[in-house]
Amino acid sequence: MVSSLLTCRAAKQRREDDGDTSSEYYHDVCLALAQVEKEVGEDWDGETVLEDNRQPAIVMPDHILKAALRGDIKLVLRWINADRTEDRLNAITRPENFSATILFLATRNNHLMLMTLLLQLGADADSRTSKCISAIGILFSDVTFEEGDVSPRVRLLMSWGATFIHDERKHRLSMAREWGYHKLADLLESELGGRRCEIVNHSSRPDLNGKTCVADEYLPSSNQYKVTLETKSKDVLVLSPDNLKRRDRTPQDCGYYVEFKNGRTIRHDFDSNEDCQAFVAALNNNGETQPAVTEESETAAEQAAAELLAELELDDSPTVPDSPTVPSSGCKAKKSKKKKGGKKKRK
């Protein structure tokens, strides 16, 4: 939290030094700073030691930045797993690329499967760049809306507990409505919209209690949610908020599991959370800590990565978006053609 405070203060000061006090980005930074100051204490003197047990973030090498931008699951996971004694999962880009995480890069470039695998491993869904932008925050920007539907990525992050700060939520959802995402905005304005939930206190169907679901749609006329059960049958029900309790996905309790094996992703669905948890525990050696890698295995992994890079003939100048509204040329996705009658650009 302390590092977030310092990051937001520095980002705000940079914009003010540049004379930018009216842009959307400056507005977002101010909102983020206000929230962090509220949690840390606005009168913190910058010197008193506050509790922050996190280790300094690992800086990812350039070839991993490039791999994340293009959604190269195999290379990214191989690098993360090469040394589990380091928190490579939440590694960040160099400061000149705004200290973005792999999850942020995958989210920005619409790599949904890589996002899922990172979250399953325990990636921080709420981490922010040095410009105070979170993974879910970058989706609610003009440039991302212009590129296509953001709903699947938003729903995935929400089910894993991603959050907006209070005032930021209002601003982002207002932008979503301007771009025609009314259904998504309605969903996220509700308390449990998009969240993974546990069914509770269902008297007429006690067999449902304890099962999990995702609140896919909010029905304002009846103040109920249309939910999809996390079972193989994926039954759809309409439930009252009184019968739902938020239960975010975690690496140990993810509801379903996506396995990456032999270059392919395989989704596993289960009839109960207990079955899912047992499956995950078995994959993780029943919860035992992964053994530390040896110097030889690390060298072999790096050599394999270097060989793959040589085959791909990648350039040496990776870039990431420098603001939520102005993407760099190295990161912007190719626009898809929109059908007639689709979303209109806001004026």
Side-chain angles (χ1 to χ4, degrees), residues 61-340:
D62 287 347
H63 72 272
I64 296 303
L65 187 160
K66 297 172 187 175
L69 289 175
R70 66 175 183 271
D72 189 330
I73 295 174
K74 184 176 181 179
L75 184 54
V76 169
L77 294 187
R78 182 164 55 189
W79 180 75
I80 290 173
N81 290 320
D83 189 351
R84 299 303 293 272
T85 64
E86 295 181 338
D87 185 15
R88 294 186 172 191
L89 184 61
N90 292 301
I92 58 175
T93 57
R94 300 179 190 278
E96 57 266 31
N97 283 323
F98 314 116
S99 304
T101 63
I102 301 175
L103 177 62
F104 180 94
L105 300 173
T107 301
R108 173 61 184 82
N109 275 26
N110 197 12
H111 299 306
L112 194 67
M113 199 56 65
L114 178 56
M115 290 171 62
T116 301
L117 292 165
L118 293 170
L119 290 164
Q120 283 180 176
L121 288 172
D124 183 357
D126 276 332
S127 62
R128 291 177 177 266
T129 68
S130 60
K131 291 199 168 189
C132 295
I133 308 169
S134 64
I136 199 168
I138 193 63
L139 294 177
F140 288 82
S141 61
D142 288 337
V143 67
T144 317
F145 283 137
E146 186 178 15
E147 291 172 353
D149 190 6
V150 302
S151 298
R153 285 171 283 171
V154 171
R155 290 172 181 271
L156 176 65
L157 290 168
M158 291 290 288
S159 73
W160 282 88
T163 58
F164 293 101
I165 58 177
H166 179 66
D167 290 335
E168 180 188 33
R169 171 188 287 268
K170 293 180 180 179
H171 176 59
R172 297 300 189 191
L173 296 188
S174 175
M175 290 185 64
R177 292 192 185 282
E178 290 180 16
W179 279 92
Y181 286 87
H182 299 290
K183 191 172 182 179
L184 179 63
D186 287 342
L187 179 69
L188 299 187
E189 279 181 340
S190 62
E191 181 182 0
L192 297 173
R195 298 296 185 187
R196 180 186 188 235
C197 298
E198 179 181 343
I199 300 175
V200 296
N201 303 322
H202 203 300
S203 56
S204 61
R205 288 285 307 276
D207 58 300
L208 293 175
N209 292 330
K211 293 187 180 297
T212 51
C213 60
V214 176
D216 294 318
E217 183 179 353
Y218 178 61
L219 307 173
S221 60
S222 60
N223 187 31
Q224 292 180 306
Y225 290 92
K226 183 179 289 187
V227 306
T228 302
L229 290 182
E230 287 188 325
T231 59
K232 290 181 179 179
S233 62
K234 294 182 173 58
D235 294 334
V236 177
L237 306 171
V238 175
L239 297 175
S240 163
D242 295 335
N243 297 126
L244 296 171
K245 181 176 70 173
R246 180 172 161 180
R247 180 171 162 178
D248 296 337
R249 301 190 195 282
T250 67
Q252 295 76 34
D253 179 29
C254 45
Y256 66 90
Y257 192 85
V258 175
E259 187 178 10
F260 184 70
K261 192 173 184 179
N262 298 325
R264 298 174 57 194
T265 54
I266 305 169
R267 173 167 170 149
H268 299 274
D269 291 295
F270 307 89
D271 280 326
S272 71
N273 287 303
E274 292 75 17
D275 289 346
C276 180
Q277 292 164 14
F279 180 86
V280 173
L283 287 180
N284 294 330
N285 297 322
N286 294 319
E288 295 179 5
T289 304
Q290 294 279 351
V293 296
T294 63
E295 183 177 348
E296 291 77 10
S297 62
E298 171 71 0
T299 301
E302 293 295 338
Q303 178 62 31
E307 291 173 357
L308 181 58
L309 285 172
E311 293 175 9
L312 295 171
E313 297 181 351
L314 296 173
D315 64 82
D316 294 322
S317 55
T319 52
V320 297
D322 61 357
S323 81
T325 56
V326 185
S328 67
S329 59
C331 196
K332 187 170 182 179
K334 183 178 180 181
K335 292 184 183 179
S336 58
K337 294 182 179 179
K338 294 183 174 60
K339 296 181 180 179
K340 187 175 181 180

Side-chain angles (χ1 to χ4, degrees), residues 16-43:
E16 291 174 348
D17 291 344
D18 292 340
D20 174 14
T21 57
S22 59
S23 68
E24 176 189 336
Y25 169 61
Y26 180 77
H27 175 73
D28 290 343
V29 169
C30 290
L31 290 177
L33 176 59
Q35 178 67 18
V36 176
E37 285 183 336
K38 182 178 179 181
E39 296 179 10
V40 174
E42 186 175 356
D43 57 350

